[in-house]
Amino acid sequence: MYTIDEIKELAKAVSEYKLEKIKIKTDEGELLIEGHKPQQPVQVMPPVAAPYIAAPAEVSAPVQTEEPAPAETAAPAKEEVPAGNIVKAPIVGTFYAAASPDEPPYVKVGDTVKKGDVLMIIESMKLMNEVTSDFDGVVEEIFVSNGEAVEYDQPMMRIR
């Protein structure tokens, strides 16, 4: 077939001429010599802020919690469930309090909201999803910070 010197000479030609491969077929067999594939240059794009565009469909999944009934024989609980309506994350994503960094937040603690008011945006897979209120009331507590990652069903806000 081929001697080691002939194979080395073919490999040298592949390298010298920057070929991807040489394939030789004969009655005796087949010889394949592959060179180094040229690497594609990696283009590094500067980070671009995601546009604050609301998704066409509104997403909301607040859940109302109820006050626990007092038990006569039970000892008082160390940590009570806060009264009010808890707004939970309807999807996994990133919490944004405002439509863009230079705009005021949709709601702050102490603000009065009505059913259907936009409370926040959750970015998921480059889509901005508005989360609206299912309750009328006053925002008593916001549990997450702007830009924080949130999990599905994570409590984010309490409205009383």
Side-chain angles (χ1 to χ4, degrees):
M1 177 118 181
Y2 293 97
T3 66
I4 294 294
D5 290 333
E6 291 171 324
I7 293 172
K8 285 181 182 179
E9 197 64 36
L10 288 170
K12 183 178 175 184
V14 168
S15 176
E16 187 175 316
Y17 295 109
K18 297 181 180 157
L19 302 174
E20 283 189 34
K21 61 184 169 183
I22 290 179
K23 188 175 191 179
I24 302 172
K25 289 184 183 180
T26 64
D27 292 336
E28 297 175 10
E30 183 177 301
L31 175 66
L32 174 64
I33 300 175
E34 291 187 2
H36 293 287
K37 292 184 180 179
Q39 291 184 350
Q40 297 294 331
V42 177
Q43 290 184 333
V44 177
M45 301 296 288
V48 178
Y52 287 88
I53 300 172
E58 293 181 352
V59 179
S60 77
V63 177
Q64 184 171 351
T65 60
E66 295 181 18
E67 293 275 338
E72 292 179 20
T73 58
K78 288 183 181 177
E79 186 176 322
E80 294 184 20
V81 176
N85 300 308
I86 303 297
V87 178
K88 293 185 177 183
I91 54 177
V92 173
T94 304
F95 166 82
Y96 292 108
S100 70
D102 51 340
E103 290 188 26
Y106 288 110
V107 295
K108 302 180 297 289
V109 173
D111 286 355
T112 300
V113 295
K114 294 185 179 179
K115 186 174 182 175
D117 286 353
V118 175
L119 300 174
M120 66 196 75
I121 290 177
I122 296 182
E123 177 190 2
S124 180
M125 297 178 61
K126 305 284 183 198
L127 291 175
M128 300 296 170
N129 301 285
E130 288 183 341
V131 177
T132 58
S133 178
D134 280 349
F135 320 105
D136 291 339
V138 176
V139 176
E140 287 205 330
E141 193 171 0
I142 299 174
F143 305 122
V144 291
S145 301
N146 199 43
E148 184 178 328
V150 294
E151 296 294 324
Y152 172 75
D153 215 26
Q154 176 181 339
M156 298 190 314
M157 186 178 298
R158 181 168 42 103
I159 300 173
R160 187 187 282 267

